[in-house]
Amino acid sequence: ILPAGTMIYYSNGRWGLGSLCQMTGSVLPKLVLVALPNAFVAALVHTLLRSDDDDVSADGYSPLGMDGVDKIWSGYTFVLGFLVVFRTNQAFQRFWQGAILLNQ
């Protein structure tokens, strides 16, 4: 970790791709600390539910049943689309506000 205010000098390498694999100034180490435990828990839960898949109850319920996934997916995509449009609109307005202020 670099002290505050220290400039990070990036070397693009021979083909300009050197900064893609650079760990200094990267969020990858923090990302791995968050992502790997969650991936492990998801794999563990999936394995445990998959082992109980033979135990289908009399009414046909299974822990891995996919009933209602289409409704969940459509709600998720609606919310995600709304957020993308909202953020894009905000960025567009900020861009034009800055462009107008620069031209004054």
Side-chain angles (χ1 to χ4, degrees):
I1 298 177
L2 297 173
T6 303
M7 183 71 175
I8 300 172
Y9 294 100
Y10 294 101
S11 172
N12 290 333
R14 185 173 180 179
W15 292 310
L17 300 176
S19 60
L20 291 178
C21 300
Q22 189 170 349
M23 294 301 279
T24 305
S26 176
V27 296
L28 189 62
K30 291 180 183 177
L31 175 94
V32 168
L33 288 176
V34 173
L36 283 182
N38 287 314
F40 177 72
V41 169
L44 182 67
V45 167
H46 178 74
T47 303
L48 291 174
L49 287 177
R50 184 61 96 182
S51 66
D52 292 339
D53 198 26
D54 296 334
D55 300 332
V56 176
S57 64
D59 60 351
Y61 175 76
S62 171
L64 291 179
M66 299 298 282
D67 298 336
V69 171
D70 54 342
K71 294 174 185 166
I72 294 171
W73 184 252
S74 65
Y76 171 75
T77 54
F78 173 77
V79 170
L80 186 64
F82 181 78
L83 289 175
V84 166
V85 168
F86 179 73
R87 299 236 341 148
T88 304
N89 189 24
Q90 267 191 328
F92 190 68
Q93 287 176 356
R94 291 177 75 187
F95 166 76
W96 278 113
Q97 182 181 9
I100 290 170
L101 289 174
L102 280 176
N103 287 329
Q104 288 181 353

